[in-house]
Amino acid sequence: DGDLAKPIAVRPTSETIMYPAYSDWIKSHRDLPLKLNQWSNVVRWEFKYPTPFLRTREFLWQEGHTAHATFEDADDMVMKALDLYRRVYEEL
């Protein structure tokens, strides 16, 4: 309940930042679909007992954010993304 020995900054989840901006970016159905890809560096601070090559302090995080006019469009996007991930793991 006091001051920290070292000041830190905590990054909120991307939804906290991204979704309020959607109301600026999407003004009509003609603005859909909106597809965003985000990359960011993440740093873990709960790093007491590292296991080499399995868990690192810093890593690159990738996430996608989309908005669609219909459930069917959103579902199709999810299936395409899952297939791309499957292909990366199985074919590369």
Side-chain angles (χ1 to χ4, degrees), residues 27-92:
K27 297 299 184 187
S28 102
H29 65 89
R30 289 181 292 275
D31 297 326
L32 298 173
L34 177 67
K35 299 176 185 180
L36 303 171
N37 187 48
Q38 178 184 7
W39 292 86
S40 56
N41 288 22
V42 177
V43 177
R44 288 191 185 99
W45 291 106
E46 80 289 352
F47 202 73
K48 292 182 182 178
Y49 305 105
T51 304
F53 307 110
L54 294 178
R55 186 172 167 124
T56 62
R57 181 181 296 269
E58 184 174 7
F59 58 95
L60 190 59
W61 184 264
Q62 182 272 329
E63 56 191 51
H65 301 271
T66 65
H68 301 270
T70 66
F71 171 83
E72 291 75 22
D73 288 343
D75 191 52
D76 185 54
M77 178 69 220
V78 168
M79 292 300 120
K80 286 178 180 174
L82 289 174
D83 187 56
L84 286 172
Y85 283 122
R86 179 197 58 78
R87 290 178 55 207
V88 166
Y89 287 114
E90 292 179 1
E91 298 173 16
L92 291 181

Side-chain angles (χ1 to χ4, degrees), residues 11-22 25 38:
R11 175 189 177 272
T13 63
S14 296
E15 291 79 6
T16 305
I17 299 165
M18 301 288 284
Y19 293 150
Y22 275 29
W25 300 333
Q38 178 184 7

